Amino acid sequence: MANTETALKEAASIDGAIGAALVDYTSGMALGTIGGGKGLDLNVAAAGNTDVVRAKVRAMEMLGLDDEIEDILITLGGQYHLIRLLKGRGAAGLFLYLALDKERANLAMARHRLKGIEAELEI
């Protein structure tokens, strides 16, 4: 089982990773971050992506969809932003956020690796 720090280090090792965060979407606060920098403030990204998650959860409720969100993908000109909602004991209300350089990343592999990180994460 991995703790938050280990999980974030694993996420940062994904090809093309720019930064990663573990976020509580009930508060919008990042519980941990790695990477980022001048071009990507992970605390601002955590708060902004909290709004994305809340909006999608609300939309699914309004549509009466009886399903779970695995991940949310935002594609920019030069980046992918992946939001992976966590499931399991102690993980309710949390998501992993990963920003990737589009030219260096393999999106399918990044999604696969995030799923694996989620499975090993112990909150």
Side-chain angles (χ1 to χ4, degrees):
M1 290 293 175
N3 63 19
T4 300
E5 183 180 345
T6 303
L8 289 174
K9 284 180 182 177
E10 286 184 41
S13 75
I14 295 172
D15 288 343
I18 298 168
L22 177 64
V23 183
D24 175 351
Y25 69 83
T26 57
S27 68
M29 301 295 293
L31 304 177
T33 63
I34 191 167
K38 191 175 92 171
L40 179 64
D41 183 327
L42 289 168
N43 289 308
V44 172
N49 285 307
T50 291
D51 292 336
V52 171
V53 170
R54 289 178 184 162
K56 187 58 188 172
V57 168
R58 200 169 36 252
M60 288 180 62
E61 288 171 357
M62 290 170 45
L63 292 167
L65 298 176
D66 186 26
D67 210 343
E68 294 180 340
I69 299 170
E70 286 185 11
D71 52 39
I72 298 169
L73 170 64
I74 300 167
T75 306
L76 306 179
Q79 296 178 356
Y80 295 123
H81 290 225
L82 268 174
I83 300 167
R84 174 108 190 148
L85 276 69
L86 303 183
K87 296 161 188 63
R89 190 181 62 214
L94 301 178
F95 67 86
L96 278 168
Y97 167 70
L98 177 64
L100 299 159
D101 179 309
K102 207 172 183 180
E103 290 189 15
R104 297 184 303 120
N106 177 320
L107 183 56
M109 185 58 72
R111 290 184 67 220
H112 177 73
R113 293 273 311 274
L114 271 186
K115 185 177 182 177
I117 291 167
E118 174 192 8
E120 293 295 317
L121 182 61
E122 186 174 289
I123 305 295

